[in-house]
Amino acid sequence: MKTTSRLILAGILAILLTALSVLLWSEANTKVTAQDVVANDLHLQIDVPSQEPQAEIYEAGINTTYLVGDSPCAFETVEAALANTLLSDGDTILLQGGKTFNERFLSIYITQNLTIEGGQAICGSTSTAATTINADGAGFVIEASSSTATLKYLILTGGDNLSDGGGLRVVNSSTVTLVNTEIRANDAQKGAGLFVDGNSTVNFNGQIINNQATHGGGGLYIAGGTVNIHDALIEGNSSEGNGGAALVNGGSLKLTGPLTLQSNSANNGGAIYAEASSTLDFEGVVFGSELGGNQATTGNGGAVYLDSSTMTARNTSFVNNQAADHGGAIYAYDSSLEIYASFGTGTLIGTTDKYYENPDVSLIQTTGCNPFLRECSAFVGNLANSDSDTYGFGGAIYLDGGSNLTMMQTYLHDNSAINGGAIYQKGNSTLSSISNCLIHHNTATVPSGAGITKFEGEFYLSSVTITDNSGGAGFLGQATSVNNSIAWESAYQGFSVTPFSSSCSIDDSSHAGIPEDPQFVSPGDGRDYHLQKTSPAMDACEFGAWQDLENRQRPIGAGYDMGAYELEITINLPLILR
């Protein structure tokens, strides 16, 4: 019995000694690992406990962070970090801020949830400026294949690919998100800045500038994939083919503001060229600016060219775009377009009477675009026939080949073309329907349709004001239907011929309505086409659109007003004695 007790006691003692040894080894190993982290600057912001081993910080697949830059960082190049055999799903590669890495053909392959983030104050540097990866004119910069990745605070530049994609290639069902990243000064056949193939998706925030393609898509080329861009600048991109900023071939492009596309150029589609059943969706976007619009240098569609595709534009403006031929802003063939302002829910407060003075913004509660702060949906200063030959129709929009246009709450002014200062329509199956739109100060450079020319197809107008256009009739051709509208031109006819049907309208030519002065507040140079209280257009119509150009609910009063504006209201509040 004593012998057995001694054996048990000895066993317990051996176990305790073994445990003590392991504990001492763990503490020593932890200190070494912590020192390595400080000395080698290998991992960032790792919480190192003092009493347990840290071997896991070197293991793959557990969200490890690797630092790249000057010594003492573990990796001197991005390529070395990507080639690291321990690199695994969920890992992060941090790049020294303000540093330029002259590297090319960088590959993210079969890796999920990888993050590459520049602008880091690491590796002995205090800079948080964006990190540049420069391919130096010898191939693409980065390719993501069969992967999911996030790129942040980077400048991808110097790519020169004899094939597709100079700055970034996203292929083989990859998904890449770019945050505060600039894709600049790259070259390629297609998609000099960015190339996205079928089943791949890109979400982008940043700048795409000064990229050049020889075949198509100077800024980006979408070959069946999906690209979502928000809060961005797309500027100065060009293509010797089509689509200066973007070419969309059977894919989807969504642009969400604040976002500006300016000074992009191509043969057709100075900013965007869409074909093969592509889908375009714009919200809060500006095409062009006072500094420079987009340009179709030899063909059509100064800002957008649509071929068998669909475009939706909400609160989007087209400013100072130019086409050598047709469609100063938009050229559409066999395509569907929906263009409108989105105000949200508008509510009028305390309305009891009408007034014609300048409106009080506080009277209308809106979400989306505030119609009293800017023209929410507009075509301004666009030009067809920029090469000044005898060929160039549709200063703002050119429609052909069975296209379908729906336009609401939109301004079209100061656009110019040989024919169809604002809109030109042809094609027997082409159809347009516009309502609550104001069309003024557009120009036809030869006697024709100064505002709208309908050569073929069907054209419907409701609650539209056409006035102060020059060079021809406000509407040239036979409209299908004209309701609740005003066409009042000082030197030319409103409607050149009698529409197929018309009701409750004013037309100085008597073709579409009564020839009575609509009594605008300040027409001509004043450019105020609201109605005065004594206007014959006030309360004249039994039926009409439910809201006007500035989001006032119709009708206000006994009936609906003619034209784009419902007569404004006066607030009568009771006197409160204190």
Side-chain angles (χ1 to χ4, degrees):
M1 179 69 85
K2 289 182 179 180
T3 301
T4 302
S5 299
R6 289 192 185 96
L7 290 174
I8 293 173
L9 182 61
I12 293 173
L13 182 60
I15 292 172
L16 290 174
L17 289 173
T18 300
L20 179 61
S21 298
V22 170
L23 181 60
L24 292 173
W25 177 89
S26 298
E27 183 175 0
N29 188 67
T30 300
K31 290 178 180 178
V32 171
T33 302
Q35 290 171 358
D36 288 345
V37 168
V38 173
N40 295 322
D41 208 6
L42 179 61
H43 303 290
L44 185 69
Q45 296 180 347
I46 295 178
D47 184 15
V48 184
S50 61
Q51 294 187 353
E52 58 183 0
Q54 289 297 299
E56 69 267 23
I57 62 175
Y58 295 103
E59 294 178 1
I62 52 169
N63 303 326
T64 306
T65 299
Y66 300 96
L67 306 190
V68 182
D70 298 330
S71 179
C73 275
F75 298 99
E76 294 183 357
T77 66
V78 183
E79 181 181 16
L82 288 170
N84 172 25
T85 57
L86 295 181
L87 187 68
S88 188
D89 294 350
D91 287 353
T92 298
I93 297 174
L94 300 183
L95 308 183
Q96 179 179 330
K99 182 177 176 61
T100 296
F101 294 89
N102 293 309
E103 303 187 52
R104 61 194 64 86
F105 298 124
L106 299 176
S107 178
I108 303 171
Y109 181 63
I110 315 182
T111 304
Q112 305 304 312
N113 301 317
L114 174 69
T115 297
I116 301 177
E117 184 170 349
Q120 300 298 305
I122 55 175
C123 312
S125 171
T126 59
S127 175
T128 56
T131 301
T132 299
I133 305 177
N134 189 342
D136 203 20
F140 62 78
V141 182
I142 297 178
E143 177 182 83
S145 178
S146 304
S147 300
T148 303
T150 299
L151 310 180
K152 299 181 179 180
Y153 311 115
L154 301 175
I155 299 173
L156 307 181
T157 189
D160 191 352
N161 192 358
L162 297 178
S163 183
D164 304 331
L168 174 64
R169 290 170 45 83
V170 182
V171 297
N172 297 328
S173 302
S174 294
T175 298
V176 175
T177 298
L178 298 102
V179 179
N180 282 345
T181 290
E182 181 179 315
I183 301 177
R184 167 168 52 89
N186 299 282
D187 296 282
Q189 288 188 352
K190 299 177 182 178
L194 169 64
F195 178 85
V196 184
D197 77 355
N199 299 319
S200 291
T201 299
V202 169
N203 303 301
F204 182 88
N205 154 238
Q207 298 184 1
I208 302 175
I209 58 176
N210 297 336
N211 301 284
Q212 183 174 359
T214 56
H215 287 53
L220 61 136
Y221 190 104
I222 305 172
T226 299
V227 174
N228 304 303
I229 302 177
H230 67 95
D231 193 8
L233 173 65
I234 305 176
E235 179 181 23
N237 302 284
S238 63
S239 170
E240 296 174 23
N242 299 324
L247 194 153
V248 189
N249 186 332
S252 173
L253 174 62
K254 182 175 183 178
L255 305 179
T256 305
L259 195 156
T260 299
L261 299 95
Q262 63 186 24
S263 301
N264 301 288
S265 63
N267 291 343
N268 296 285
I272 297 175
Y273 186 99
E275 61 186 358
S277 300
S278 294
T279 301
L280 306 180
D281 189 296
F282 310 139
E283 182 165 6
V285 178
V286 178
F287 286 84
S289 69
E290 294 181 359
L291 299 177
N294 305 285
Q295 187 169 14
T297 54
T298 62
N300 306 308
V304 177
Y305 186 111
L306 299 168
D307 183 359
S308 302
S309 295
T310 299
M311 185 193 88
T312 301
R314 297 174 299 280
N315 298 339
T316 294
S317 298
F318 296 82
V319 183
N320 293 334
N321 302 286
Q322 298 184 7
D325 292 336
H326 304 319
I330 296 174
Y331 178 97
Y333 185 88
D334 188 27
S335 296
S336 177
L337 302 84
E338 187 175 9
I339 301 168
Y340 61 96
S342 177
F343 308 116
T345 302
T347 305
L348 295 168
I349 303 175
T351 62
T352 58
D353 199 1
K354 297 187 175 184
Y355 75 112
Y356 60 89
E357 294 82 4
N358 291 329
D360 181 354
V361 176
S362 65
L363 300 183
I364 293 187
Q365 310 296 314
T366 65
T367 58
C369 178
N370 188 326
F372 292 141
L373 297 181
R374 68 180 182 92
E375 296 177 354
C376 299
S377 175
F379 291 80
V380 182
N382 301 288
L383 172 65
N385 189 36
S386 63
D387 57 2
S388 300
D389 59 13
T390 59
Y391 195 64
F393 302 158
I397 300 172
Y398 182 96
L399 304 166
D400 194 4
S403 291
N404 190 318
L405 167 68
T406 300
M407 179 184 292
M408 300 173 287
Q409 278 81 34
T410 297
Y411 298 81
L412 300 97
H413 59 86
D414 298 286
N415 304 288
S416 178
I418 291 176
N419 191 349
I423 300 174
Y424 185 94
Q425 174 177 305
K426 67 173 294 189
N428 290 330
S429 58
T430 302
L431 186 150
S432 292
S433 177
I434 65 174
S435 62
N436 289 309
C437 293
L438 174 60
I439 302 169
H440 68 97
H441 285 92
N442 300 286
T443 300
T445 57
V446 300
S448 55
I452 298 172
T453 293
K454 191 224 82 172
F455 182 67
E456 295 169 322
E458 298 180 36
F459 212 112
Y460 298 81
L461 302 96
S462 176
S463 300
V464 174
T465 297
I466 304 174
T467 188
D468 282 336
N469 300 287
S470 62
F475 190 103
L476 179 66
Q478 189 172 30
T480 308
S481 175
V482 179
N483 300 304
N484 300 35
S485 294
I486 299 172
W488 195 257
E489 302 290 358
S490 58
Y492 300 90
Q493 295 177 323
F495 284 84
S496 65
V497 297
T498 301
F500 283 106
S501 71
S502 62
S503 66
C504 196
S505 295
I506 287 176
D507 176 15
D508 63 76
S509 69
S510 300
H511 288 134
I514 58 175
E516 293 189 27
D517 185 346
Q519 299 183 29
F520 297 127
V521 169
S522 182
D525 292 341
R527 297 191 173 214
D528 187 346
Y529 300 102
H530 295 85
L531 302 175
Q532 298 186 42
K533 288 181 178 180
T534 55
S535 170
M538 174 183 171
D539 292 341
C541 306
E542 184 178 358
F543 304 100
W546 68 273
Q547 66 178 159
D548 78 347
L549 179 59
E550 292 178 330
N551 197 33
R552 294 177 189 82
Q553 185 174 353
R554 295 180 187 259
I556 300 173
Y560 294 82
D561 296 349
M562 300 179 191
Y565 295 108
E566 192 77 2
L567 193 59
E568 300 174 276
I569 56 170
T570 296
I571 304 301
N572 294 328
L573 298 176
L575 179 65
I576 299 177
L577 301 178
R578 302 189 185 188

